[in-house]
Amino acid sequence: MKAFIGIDVGKEKLDVSWLRDVVKNKQKTKVLKNTKQGYQEL
C-alpha cells in the first residue's frame, strides 16, 4: 500500500492533502495558515 502527501504553499495558507489509500480513495485534507504556528501544527 502506498500513501501520497501533497502540500500547496500559498502566501497566506498551506493546503495539505493526504491520500491514505489509493484503491479505496481514502483522503484527508487540512488548511493551515502560512505562519510559524501553521508550520508547527503541520
Side-chain angles (χ1 to χ4, degrees):
M1 178 171 77
K2 291 183 180 182
F4 298 92
I5 297 173
I7 303 172
D8 181 28
V9 179
K11 187 174 183 177
E12 296 183 14
K13 64 181 181 172
L14 305 169
D15 293 299
V16 182
S17 179
W18 174 29
L19 182 58
R20 300 182 311 158
D21 189 338
V22 177
V23 176
K24 295 180 182 178
N25 198 28
K26 289 187 177 182
Q27 180 175 322
K28 284 191 174 187
T29 60
K30 189 162 190 168
V31 178
L32 305 164
K33 290 184 179 181
N34 190 354
T35 61
K36 190 173 185 176
Q37 183 180 352
Y39 277 94
Q40 290 174 346
E41 190 175 340
L42 180 62

